Amino acid sequence: AEAAALESEQQKVVANAALKAFNKFDTNKDGNISSTELKAGLEKTFKMELSDKRVKQLMDAFDKSGDGSLTLNDFVAPEVMRNRLDALAREEKALS
């Protein structure tokens, strides 16, 4: 029972962290993260410039509903997006 309580507490912490990150990116507070908000949030988080093409690739990868924006359910931790960015860069390099 103690392990289950600990796991439940850990899930709350992870969910809270995801919500905080989502709210940082959702600057107009409409409950969706647009491509513009995603780009600005990632550039600020990672202190790097991203091309519109790269942001679209990320949006396509994580926008489960296909509506062109990320909801809280679509949103993944910025670190996961960073890993995807790195993978895209490696794929592009391998193709060139």
Side-chain angles (χ1 to χ4, degrees):
E2 195 173 307
L6 202 67
E7 191 174 309
S8 175
E9 189 59 36
Q10 197 171 16
Q11 287 173 337
K12 284 182 192 168
V13 168
V14 169
N16 192 32
L19 181 60
K20 280 173 106 170
F22 181 87
N23 286 335
K24 275 187 185 173
F25 280 65
D26 182 21
T27 53
N28 68 358
K29 306 296 179 216
D30 68 351
N32 293 300
I33 296 174
S34 67
S35 291
T36 305
E37 289 171 317
L38 180 63
K39 181 177 182 181
L42 289 173
E43 287 180 341
K44 187 174 181 183
T45 301
F46 299 131
K47 297 175 180 29
M48 64 189 285
E49 283 192 38
L50 292 171
S51 68
D52 290 341
K53 175 186 172 193
R54 193 63 92 214
V55 174
K56 183 177 180 346
Q57 289 172 315
L58 283 176
M59 187 64 82
D60 291 346
F62 296 110
D63 177 17
K64 295 179 192 98
S65 65
D67 65 356
S69 65
L70 300 179
T71 64
L72 184 55
N73 288 338
D74 296 330
F75 192 71
V76 295
E79 295 76 30
V80 175
M81 289 193 191
R82 178 61 186 245
N83 291 342
R84 184 71 184 133
L85 279 170
D86 292 345
L88 288 166
R90 284 192 303 274
E91 287 169 21
E92 219 168 68
K93 195 173 184 183
L95 292 173
S96 61

Coordinates of all heavy atoms in Angstrom, one line a residue:
A1 N 0.8 -1.2 0.0 CA 0.0 0.0 0.0 C 0.9 1.3 0.0 O 0.5 2.2 -0.6 CB -0.9 0.0 1.2
E2 N 2.0 1.2 0.7 CA 2.9 2.3 0.8 C 3.5 2.6 -0.6 O 3.6 3.8 -1.0 CB 4.0 2.1 1.8 CG 4.7 3.3 2.2 CD 5.7 3.1 3.4 OE1 5.3 2.6 4.4 OE2 6.9 3.4 3.2
A3 N 3.8 1.6 -1.3 CA 4.4 1.7 -2.6 C 3.4 2.4 -3.6 O 3.8 3.2 -4.4 CB 4.9 0.4 -3.2
A4 N 2.2 1.9 -3.5 CA 1.1 2.5 -4.3 C 0.9 4.0 -4.0 O 0.7 4.8 -4.9 CB -0.2 1.7 -4.1
A5 N 0.9 4.3 -2.7 CA 0.8 5.7 -2.3 C 1.9 6.6 -2.9 O 1.7 7.7 -3.3 CB 0.7 5.8 -0.8
L6 N 3.1 6.0 -2.8 CA 4.3 6.7 -3.3 C 4.2 6.9 -4.8 O 4.6 8.0 -5.3 CB 5.6 5.9 -2.9 CG 6.9 6.6 -2.9 CD1 6.9 7.6 -1.7 CD2 8.0 5.7 -2.7
E7 N 3.8 5.9 -5.5 CA 3.7 6.0 -7.0 C 2.6 7.0 -7.3 O 2.8 7.8 -8.3 CB 3.3 4.6 -7.5 CG 3.4 4.5 -9.0 CD 3.1 3.1 -9.5 OE1 3.8 2.2 -9.0 OE2 2.3 3.0 -10.4
S8 N 1.5 7.0 -6.6 CA 0.4 8.0 -6.8 C 1.0 9.4 -6.6 O 0.7 10.3 -7.4 CB -0.7 7.7 -5.9 OG -1.7 8.7 -6.1
E9 N 1.8 9.6 -5.6 CA 2.3 10.9 -5.3 C 3.3 11.3 -6.4 O 3.3 12.5 -6.8 CB 3.1 10.9 -3.9 CG 3.5 12.2 -3.5 CD 2.4 13.3 -3.3 OE1 1.3 12.9 -2.9 OE2 2.7 14.4 -3.6
Q10 N 4.1 10.4 -6.9 CA 5.0 10.6 -8.0 C 4.3 11.0 -9.2 O 4.7 12.0 -10.0 CB 5.9 9.4 -8.2 CG 7.1 9.7 -9.0 CD 8.0 8.5 -9.0 OE1 7.6 7.3 -8.7 NE2 9.3 8.7 -9.4
Q11 N 3.2 10.4 -9.5 CA 2.4 10.7 -10.7 C 1.8 12.1 -10.6 O 1.8 12.9 -11.6 CB 1.2 9.7 -10.9 CG 1.7 8.4 -11.4 CD 0.6 7.3 -11.4 OE1 -0.4 7.4 -10.7 NE2 0.8 6.3 -12.2
K12 N 1.4 12.5 -9.4 CA 0.9 13.9 -9.2 C 2.0 14.9 -9.4 O 1.8 16.0 -10.0 CB 0.4 14.1 -7.7 CG -0.9 13.4 -7.5 CD -1.3 13.7 -6.1 CE -2.5 12.8 -5.7 NZ -2.8 12.8 -4.3
V13 N 3.3 14.6 -9.0 CA 4.4 15.5 -9.2 C 4.7 15.7 -10.7 O 4.9 16.8 -11.2 CB 5.6 15.0 -8.4 CG1 6.9 15.7 -8.8 CG2 5.4 15.1 -6.9
V14 N 4.7 14.5 -11.4 CA 4.9 14.6 -12.9 C 3.8 15.3 -13.6 O 4.1 16.2 -14.4 CB 5.1 13.1 -13.4 CG1 5.1 13.1 -14.9 CG2 6.3 12.5 -12.9
A15 N 2.6 15.1 -13.2 CA 1.5 15.8 -13.8 C 1.5 17.3 -13.5 O 1.3 18.1 -14.4 CB 0.1 15.2 -13.3
N16 N 1.9 17.6 -12.3 CA 2.0 19.1 -12.0 C 3.2 19.7 -12.7 O 3.0 20.9 -13.2 CB 2.3 19.2 -10.4 CG 2.1 20.6 -10.0 OD1 1.3 21.4 -10.5 ND2 2.9 21.0 -8.9
A17 N 4.3 19.0 -12.9 CA 5.4 19.6 -13.7 C 5.0 19.8 -15.1 O 5.3 20.8 -15.8 CB 6.6 18.7 -13.6
A18 N 4.2 18.8 -15.7 CA 3.8 18.9 -17.1 C 2.8 20.1 -17.2 O 2.9 20.9 -18.2 CB 3.1 17.7 -17.5
L19 N 1.9 20.3 -16.3 CA 1.0 21.4 -16.3 C 1.8 22.8 -16.2 O 1.4 23.7 -17.0 CB 0.0 21.3 -15.2 CG -1.1 22.4 -15.1 CD1 -1.9 22.5 -16.4 CD2 -2.0 22.2 -13.9
K20 N 2.8 22.9 -15.3 CA 3.5 24.1 -15.2 C 4.3 24.4 -16.5 O 4.3 25.6 -17.0 CB 4.6 23.9 -14.1 CG 4.0 24.1 -12.7 CD 5.0 23.8 -11.6 CE 5.5 25.1 -11.0 NZ 6.3 24.8 -9.8
A21 N 4.9 23.4 -17.1 CA 5.6 23.6 -18.4 C 4.6 24.0 -19.5 O 4.8 25.0 -20.3 CB 6.3 22.3 -18.8
F22 N 3.4 23.3 -19.5 CA 2.4 23.7 -20.5 C 2.0 25.1 -20.4 O 1.9 25.9 -21.4 CB 1.2 22.7 -20.4 CG 0.1 23.0 -21.3 CD1 0.1 22.4 -22.6 CD2 -1.0 23.8 -21.1 CE1 -0.9 22.6 -23.5 CE2 -2.0 24.1 -22.0 CZ -2.0 23.4 -23.2
N23 N 1.7 25.5 -19.1 CA 1.3 26.9 -18.9 C 2.3 27.9 -19.3 O 2.0 29.0 -19.7 CB 0.8 27.1 -17.4 CG -0.5 26.4 -17.2 OD1 -1.3 26.2 -18.1 ND2 -0.7 26.0 -15.9
K24 N 3.6 27.6 -19.2 CA 4.7 28.5 -19.6 C 4.6 28.7 -21.1 O 4.9 29.8 -21.6 CB 6.0 28.0 -19.2 CG 6.5 28.3 -17.8 CD 7.9 27.9 -17.6 CE 8.3 28.1 -16.2 NZ 9.6 27.5 -15.9
F25 N 4.3 27.6 -21.8 CA 4.3 27.7 -23.3 C 3.0 28.4 -23.8 O 3.0 29.0 -24.8 CB 4.4 26.3 -23.9 CG 5.8 25.8 -23.9 CD1 6.5 25.5 -22.8 CD2 6.4 25.5 -25.2 CE1 7.8 25.0 -22.8 CE2 7.7 25.0 -25.2 CZ 8.4 24.8 -24.1
D26 N 1.9 28.1 -23.1 CA 0.6 28.6 -23.5 C 0.4 30.1 -23.0 O -0.3 30.4 -22.1 CB -0.5 27.7 -22.9 CG -1.9 28.2 -23.3 OD1 -2.1 28.9 -24.3 OD2 -2.9 27.8 -22.6
T27 N 1.1 31.0 -23.8 CA 1.2 32.3 -23.3 C -0.1 33.1 -23.4 O -0.4 34.0 -22.6 CB 2.3 33.1 -24.1 OG1 2.0 33.0 -25.5 CG2 3.7 32.6 -23.7
N28 N -1.0 32.7 -24.3 CA -2.3 33.4 -24.4 C -3.4 32.8 -23.5 O -4.5 33.2 -23.5 CB -2.8 33.6 -25.8 CG -3.2 32.3 -26.5 OD1 -3.1 31.3 -25.9 ND2 -3.6 32.4 -27.7
K29 N -3.0 31.7 -22.8 CA -3.9 31.0 -21.9 C -5.2 30.5 -22.5 O -6.2 30.5 -21.8 CB -4.2 31.8 -20.6 CG -2.9 32.4 -20.0 CD -2.1 31.2 -19.4 CE -0.8 31.8 -18.8 NZ 0.3 30.9 -19.0
D30 N -5.2 30.0 -23.7 CA -6.4 29.5 -24.3 C -6.5 28.0 -24.2 O -7.5 27.4 -24.8 CB -6.5 30.0 -25.8 CG -5.4 29.3 -26.7 OD1 -4.5 28.6 -26.2 OD2 -5.5 29.5 -27.9
G31 N -5.6 27.4 -23.6 CA -5.6 25.9 -23.4 C -5.0 25.1 -24.5 O -5.1 23.9 -24.6
N32 N -4.4 25.8 -25.5 CA -3.8 25.2 -26.6 C -2.4 25.9 -26.9 O -2.3 27.1 -26.6 CB -4.6 25.4 -27.9 CG -5.9 24.6 -27.9 OD1 -5.9 23.4 -27.7 ND2 -7.0 25.3 -28.0
I33 N -1.5 25.1 -27.3 CA -0.2 25.7 -27.7 C -0.1 25.7 -29.2 O -0.1 24.7 -29.9 CB 1.0 24.9 -27.1 CG1 0.9 25.0 -25.6 CG2 2.3 25.4 -27.6 CD1 1.9 24.1 -24.9
S34 N 0.0 26.9 -29.8 CA 0.1 27.1 -31.2 C 1.5 26.9 -31.6 O 2.4 26.8 -30.8 CB -0.4 28.5 -31.6 OG 0.6 29.5 -31.1
S35 N 1.7 26.8 -32.9 CA 3.1 26.7 -33.5 C 4.0 27.9 -33.0 O 5.1 27.7 -32.6 CB 3.1 26.7 -35.0 OG 2.6 25.5 -35.4
T36 N 3.4 29.1 -33.0 CA 4.1 30.3 -32.6 C 4.5 30.2 -31.1 O 5.6 30.5 -30.7 CB 3.2 31.5 -32.8 OG1 2.8 31.6 -34.2 CG2 3.9 32.8 -32.5
E37 N 3.6 29.7 -30.3 CA 3.9 29.6 -28.8 C 4.9 28.5 -28.6 O 5.8 28.6 -27.8 CB 2.6 29.3 -28.1 CG 1.6 30.4 -27.9 CD 0.3 30.0 -27.4 OE1 -0.3 29.0 -27.7 OE2 -0.2 30.8 -26.5
L38 N 4.8 27.4 -29.4 CA 5.7 26.3 -29.2 C 7.1 26.8 -29.6 O 8.1 26.5 -28.9 CB 5.3 25.1 -30.1 CG 6.2 23.9 -30.1 CD1 6.2 23.3 -28.7 CD2 5.8 22.9 -31.1
K39 N 7.2 27.5 -30.7 CA 8.5 28.0 -31.1 C 9.1 28.9 -30.1 O 10.3 28.7 -29.7 CB 8.4 28.7 -32.5 CG 9.7 29.2 -33.0 CD 9.5 29.9 -34.4 CE 10.9 30.3 -34.9 NZ 10.9 31.0 -36.1
A40 N 8.3 29.9 -29.6 CA 8.8 30.8 -28.6 C 9.2 30.1 -27.3 O 10.3 30.4 -26.8 CB 7.8 31.9 -28.4
G41 N 8.4 29.2 -26.9 CA 8.7 28.4 -25.7 C 10.0 27.6 -25.7 O 10.8 27.6 -24.8
L42 N 10.1 26.9 -26.9 CA 11.3 26.1 -27.0 C 12.6 26.9 -27.2 O 13.6 26.6 -26.6 CB 11.1 25.1 -28.2 CG 10.1 24.0 -28.0 CD1 10.0 23.3 -29.4 CD2 10.6 23.1 -26.9
E43 N 12.5 28.0 -27.9 CA 13.6 28.9 -28.1 C 14.1 29.5 -26.8 O 15.3 29.6 -26.5 CB 13.3 30.0 -29.1 CG 13.2 29.5 -30.6 CD 12.9 30.5 -31.6 OE1 12.4 31.6 -31.2 OE2 13.2 30.3 -32.8
K44 N 13.1 29.8 -26.0 CA 13.4 30.4 -24.6 C 14.0 29.3 -23.7 O 15.0 29.5 -23.0 CB 12.1 31.0 -24.0 CG 12.4 31.7 -22.7 CD 11.1 32.4 -22.3 CE 11.3 33.2 -21.0 NZ 10.1 33.8 -20.5
T45 N 13.4 28.1 -23.7 CA 13.8 27.0 -22.9 C 15.3 26.6 -23.3 O 16.1 26.4 -22.4 CB 12.9 25.8 -23.0 OG1 11.6 26.3 -22.6 CG2 13.3 24.7 -22.1
F46 N 15.5 26.4 -24.6 CA 16.8 25.9 -25.0 C 17.8 26.9 -25.5 O 18.9 26.6 -25.9 CB 16.6 24.9 -26.1 CG 15.7 23.7 -25.7 CD1 14.7 23.3 -26.5 CD2 16.0 23.0 -24.5 CE1 13.9 22.2 -26.1 CE2 15.2 21.9 -24.2 CZ 14.1 21.6 -24.9
K47 N 17.4 28.2 -25.4 CA 18.3 29.3 -25.8 C 18.9 29.1 -27.2 O 20.1 29.1 -27.3 CB 19.3 29.5 -24.7 CG 18.8 30.0 -23.4 CD 19.8 30.1 -22.3 CE 19.3 30.5 -21.0 NZ 18.0 30.2 -20.6
M48 N 18.0 28.8 -28.1 CA 18.4 28.5 -29.5 C 17.3 28.9 -30.4 O 16.2 29.0 -30.0 CB 18.8 27.0 -29.7 CG 17.5 26.1 -29.5 SD 17.9 24.4 -29.5 CE 18.2 24.0 -31.2
E49 N 17.7 29.2 -31.7 CA 16.7 29.6 -32.7 C 16.2 28.3 -33.4 O 17.1 27.4 -33.7 CB 17.3 30.6 -33.7 CG 17.3 32.0 -33.2 CD 17.6 33.0 -34.2 OE1 17.1 32.8 -35.4 OE2 18.4 33.9 -33.9
L50 N 15.0 28.2 -33.7 CA 14.4 27.1 -34.4 C 13.8 27.6 -35.7 O 13.1 28.6 -35.7 CB 13.3 26.4 -33.6 CG 13.8 25.6 -32.3 CD1 12.6 25.2 -31.5 CD2 14.7 24.5 -32.7
S51 N 13.9 26.8 -36.8 CA 13.3 27.2 -38.0 C 11.8 26.8 -37.9 O 11.4 26.0 -37.2 CB 13.9 26.5 -39.2 OG 13.6 25.1 -39.1
D52 N 11.0 27.5 -38.7 CA 9.6 27.2 -38.8 C 9.4 25.7 -39.2 O 8.5 25.1 -38.7 CB 8.8 28.1 -39.7 CG 8.7 29.6 -39.2 OD1 8.9 29.7 -38.0 OD2 8.5 30.5 -40.0
K53 N 10.2 25.3 -40.1 CA 10.2 23.9 -40.6 C 10.3 22.9 -39.4 O 9.6 21.9 -39.3 CB 11.2 23.6 -41.7 CG 11.3 22.2 -42.1 CD 12.5 22.0 -43.1 CE 12.7 20.5 -43.4 NZ 14.0 20.2 -44.0
R54 N 11.3 23.2 -38.6 CA 11.6 22.3 -37.4 C 10.4 22.3 -36.5 O 10.0 21.3 -35.9 CB 12.9 22.8 -36.8 CG 13.5 21.8 -35.8 CD 13.9 20.5 -36.4 NE 15.3 20.5 -36.8 CZ 15.7 19.9 -37.9 NH1 14.9 19.2 -38.7 NH2 17.0 19.9 -38.2
V55 N 9.9 23.5 -36.2 CA 8.7 23.6 -35.3 C 7.5 22.8 -35.9 O 6.8 22.1 -35.1 CB 8.3 25.1 -35.1 CG1 7.1 25.2 -34.3 CG2 9.5 25.8 -34.4
K56 N 7.3 22.9 -37.2 CA 6.2 22.1 -37.8 C 6.5 20.6 -37.7 O 5.5 19.9 -37.4 CB 6.1 22.5 -39.3 CG 4.9 21.8 -39.9 CD 4.7 22.1 -41.4 CE 3.6 21.4 -42.1 NZ 3.0 20.3 -41.5
Q57 N 7.7 20.2 -37.8 CA 8.0 18.8 -37.6 C 7.7 18.3 -36.2 O 7.2 17.2 -36.0 CB 9.5 18.5 -37.9 CG 9.9 18.6 -39.4 CD 11.4 18.5 -39.6 OE1 12.1 19.2 -38.9 NE2 11.7 17.7 -40.6
L58 N 8.0 19.2 -35.2 CA 7.7 18.8 -33.8 C 6.2 18.8 -33.6 O 5.6 17.9 -33.0 CB 8.3 19.8 -32.9 CG 9.8 19.7 -32.6 CD1 10.2 20.8 -31.7 CD2 10.1 18.4 -31.9
M59 N 5.5 19.8 -34.2 CA 4.0 19.9 -34.0 C 3.4 18.6 -34.6 O 2.5 18.0 -34.0 CB 3.5 21.2 -34.7 CG 2.1 21.4 -34.5 SD 1.6 21.7 -32.7 CE 2.0 23.4 -32.6
D60 N 3.9 18.2 -35.8 CA 3.3 17.1 -36.5 C 3.6 15.8 -35.7 O 2.8 14.9 -35.6 CB 4.0 16.9 -37.9 CG 3.5 17.9 -38.9 OD1 2.5 18.7 -38.6 OD2 4.2 18.1 -39.9
A61 N 4.8 15.7 -35.0 CA 5.1 14.6 -34.2 C 4.3 14.4 -32.9 O 3.9 13.3 -32.5 CB 6.6 14.6 -33.8
F62 N 3.9 15.5 -32.3 CA 3.2 15.5 -31.0 C 1.8 15.9 -31.0 O 1.1 15.6 -30.0 CB 4.0 16.3 -30.0 CG 5.4 15.8 -29.7 CD1 6.5 16.5 -30.2 CD2 5.6 14.6 -29.1 CE1 7.8 16.0 -30.0 CE2 6.9 14.1 -28.9 CZ 8.0 14.8 -29.3
D63 N 1.3 16.5 -32.1 CA -0.2 16.9 -32.2 C -1.0 15.7 -32.5 O -1.2 15.4 -33.7 CB -0.3 18.0 -33.2 CG -1.7 18.4 -33.4 OD1 -2.6 18.1 -32.5 OD2 -2.0 19.0 -34.4
K64 N -1.4 14.9 -31.5 CA -2.2 13.7 -31.7 C -3.5 13.9 -32.5 O -3.9 13.1 -33.2 CB -2.4 13.0 -30.4 CG -1.2 12.5 -29.7 CD -1.5 11.9 -28.4 CE -0.2 11.7 -27.6 NZ -0.1 12.7 -26.5
S65 N -4.2 15.0 -32.2 CA -5.5 15.3 -32.8 C -5.4 15.8 -34.2 O -6.3 15.8 -35.0 CB -6.3 16.2 -31.9 OG -5.7 17.5 -31.9
G66 N -4.2 16.3 -34.6 CA -4.0 16.9 -35.9 C -4.6 18.2 -36.2 O -4.8 18.6 -37.3
D67 N -5.0 18.9 -35.1 CA -5.6 20.2 -35.2 C -4.7 21.4 -35.3 O -5.1 22.5 -35.4 CB -6.7 20.4 -34.1 CG -6.0 20.5 -32.7 OD1 -4.8 20.4 -32.6 OD2 -6.8 20.8 -31.8
G68 N -3.4 21.1 -35.3 CA -2.4 22.2 -35.5 C -2.0 22.9 -34.2 O -1.3 23.9 -34.2
S69 N -2.5 22.4 -33.1 CA -2.0 22.9 -31.8 C -1.9 21.8 -30.8 O -2.4 20.7 -31.0 CB -3.0 24.0 -31.3 OG -4.3 23.4 -31.0
L70 N -1.2 22.1 -29.7 CA -1.0 21.1 -28.7 C -1.9 21.4 -27.5 O -1.9 22.5 -27.0 CB 0.5 21.0 -28.2 CG 1.5 20.7 -29.3 CD1 2.9 20.8 -28.6 CD2 1.3 19.4 -29.9
T71 N -2.6 20.3 -27.1 CA -3.4 20.4 -25.8 C -2.5 19.9 -24.7 O -1.5 19.3 -25.0 CB -4.7 19.6 -25.9 OG1 -4.4 18.3 -26.1 CG2 -5.6 20.1 -27.1
L72 N -3.0 19.9 -23.5 CA -2.3 19.4 -22.4 C -2.0 17.9 -22.6 O -1.0 17.4 -22.3 CB -3.0 19.6 -21.1 CG -2.3 19.2 -19.8 CD1 -0.9 19.8 -19.7 CD2 -3.1 19.5 -18.6
N73 N -3.0 17.2 -23.2 CA -2.8 15.8 -23.5 C -1.8 15.5 -24.5 O -1.1 14.4 -24.5 CB -4.2 15.1 -23.9 CG -5.2 15.0 -22.8 OD1 -4.8 15.0 -21.6 ND2 -6.4 15.0 -23.2
D74 N -1.6 16.4 -25.5 CA -0.6 16.2 -26.5 C 0.8 16.6 -26.0 O 1.8 16.1 -26.5 CB -0.8 17.2 -27.7 CG -2.1 16.9 -28.4 OD1 -2.5 15.7 -28.5 OD2 -2.7 17.9 -29.0
F75 N 0.9 17.5 -25.0 CA 2.1 18.1 -24.6 C 3.0 17.1 -23.9 O 2.6 16.3 -23.1 CB 1.8 19.3 -23.6 CG 3.0 20.1 -23.3 CD1 3.5 21.0 -24.3 CD2 3.6 20.1 -22.1 CE1 4.6 21.8 -24.0 CE2 4.7 20.9 -21.8 CZ 5.2 21.8 -22.8
V76 N 4.3 17.2 -24.3 CA 5.3 16.3 -23.7 C 6.4 17.2 -23.1 O 6.5 18.4 -23.4 CB 6.0 15.3 -24.7 CG1 5.0 14.3 -25.2 CG2 6.6 16.1 -25.8
A77 N 7.1 16.7 -22.2 CA 8.2 17.5 -21.5 C 9.1 18.1 -22.5 O 9.4 17.5 -23.6 CB 8.9 16.6 -20.5
P78 N 9.6 19.3 -22.3 CA 10.5 19.9 -23.2 C 11.7 19.1 -23.5 O 12.2 19.1 -24.6 CB 10.9 21.2 -22.5 CG 9.7 21.6 -21.7 CD 9.2 20.2 -21.2
E79 N 12.2 18.3 -22.5 CA 13.3 17.4 -22.8 C 13.0 16.3 -23.9 O 13.8 16.0 -24.7 CB 13.7 16.6 -21.5 CG 14.2 17.5 -20.4 CD 13.1 18.3 -19.7 OE1 12.0 17.8 -19.6 OE2 13.4 19.4 -19.2
V80 N 11.7 15.9 -23.9 CA 11.3 14.9 -24.9 C 11.4 15.6 -26.3 O 11.8 15.0 -27.3 CB 9.9 14.3 -24.6 CG1 9.4 13.5 -25.8 CG2 9.9 13.6 -23.3
M81 N 10.9 16.9 -26.3 CA 11.0 17.6 -27.6 C 12.4 17.8 -28.0 O 12.7 17.8 -29.2 CB 10.2 18.9 -27.5 CG 8.7 18.8 -27.4 SD 7.9 20.3 -27.6 CE 6.2 19.8 -27.1
R82 N 13.3 18.1 -27.0 CA 14.7 18.3 -27.3 C 15.3 17.0 -28.0 O 16.0 17.1 -28.9 CB 15.5 18.7 -26.0 CG 17.0 18.8 -26.2 CD 17.2 20.0 -27.2 NE 18.6 20.1 -27.6 CZ 19.3 21.2 -27.3 NH1 18.8 22.2 -26.6 NH2 20.6 21.2 -27.6
N83 N 14.9 15.9 -27.4 CA 15.4 14.6 -28.0 C 14.9 14.4 -29.4 O 15.7 13.9 -30.3 CB 14.9 13.4 -27.1 CG 15.6 13.4 -25.7 OD1 16.6 14.0 -25.5 ND2 15.0 12.7 -24.8
R84 N 13.7 14.8 -29.7 CA 13.1 14.7 -31.0 C 13.8 15.7 -32.0 O 14.1 15.3 -33.1 CB 11.6 15.0 -31.0 CG 10.9 14.8 -32.3 CD 10.8 13.4 -32.7 NE 10.2 13.3 -34.0 CZ 10.7 12.5 -35.0 NH1 11.7 11.7 -34.8 NH2 10.1 12.5 -36.1
L85 N 14.1 16.9 -31.5 CA 14.9 17.8 -32.3 C 16.3 17.3 -32.6 O 16.7 17.4 -33.8 CB 15.1 19.1 -31.5 CG 14.0 20.1 -31.5 CD1 14.3 21.2 -30.4 CD2 13.7 20.7 -32.8
D86 N 16.9 16.7 -31.7 CA 18.2 16.1 -31.9 C 18.1 14.9 -32.9 O 19.0 14.8 -33.8 CB 18.9 15.5 -30.6 CG 19.2 16.7 -29.7 OD1 19.3 17.8 -30.1 OD2 19.5 16.4 -28.5
A87 N 17.1 14.1 -32.8 CA 16.9 13.0 -33.8 C 16.6 13.5 -35.2 O 17.2 13.0 -36.2 CB 15.7 12.1 -33.3
L88 N 15.8 14.6 -35.3 CA 15.6 15.2 -36.6 C 16.9 15.7 -37.2 O 17.1 15.6 -38.4 CB 14.5 16.3 -36.5 CG 13.1 15.9 -36.2 CD1 12.3 17.1 -35.7 CD2 12.5 15.2 -37.4
A89 N 17.7 16.4 -36.4 CA 19.0 16.9 -36.9 C 19.9 15.8 -37.4 O 20.5 15.9 -38.4 CB 19.7 17.7 -35.8
R90 N 19.9 14.7 -36.6 CA 20.7 13.5 -37.1 C 20.2 12.9 -38.4 O 21.0 12.6 -39.3 CB 20.7 12.4 -36.0 CG 21.6 12.8 -34.8 CD 21.9 11.6 -33.9 NE 20.6 11.0 -33.4 CZ 20.0 11.4 -32.3 NH1 20.5 12.4 -31.6 NH2 18.9 10.8 -31.9
E91 N 18.9 12.8 -38.5 CA 18.3 12.2 -39.7 C 18.6 13.1 -40.9 O 19.0 12.6 -42.0 CB 16.8 12.1 -39.6 CG 16.3 11.1 -38.7 CD 14.8 11.2 -38.3 OE1 14.0 11.9 -39.1 OE2 14.4 10.6 -37.3
E92 N 18.5 14.4 -40.7 CA 18.8 15.4 -41.8 C 20.3 15.3 -42.2 O 20.6 15.3 -43.4 CB 18.5 16.8 -41.3 CG 17.8 17.7 -42.4 CD 17.3 18.9 -41.7 OE1 18.1 19.8 -41.3 OE2 16.1 19.1 -41.7
K93 N 21.1 15.2 -41.3 CA 22.6 15.1 -41.5 C 22.9 13.8 -42.3 O 23.7 13.8 -43.2 CB 23.4 15.1 -40.2 CG 24.8 15.4 -40.4 CD 25.5 15.6 -39.1 CE 26.9 15.9 -39.2 NZ 27.6 16.1 -38.0
A94 N 22.2 12.7 -41.9 CA 22.5 11.4 -42.6 C 22.0 11.4 -44.0 O 22.6 10.7 -44.9 CB 21.7 10.3 -41.8
L95 N 21.0 12.2 -44.3 CA 20.4 12.2 -45.6 C 21.2 13.2 -46.6 O 21.1 13.1 -47.8 CB 19.0 12.7 -45.6 CG 18.0 11.7 -45.0 CD1 16.6 12.4 -44.9 CD2 17.9 10.4 -45.8
S96 N 22.0 14.0 -46.0 CA 22.7 15.0 -46.8 C 24.1 14.5 -47.3 O 24.6 13.5 -46.9 CB 22.9 16.3 -46.1 OG 23.6 16.2 -44.9

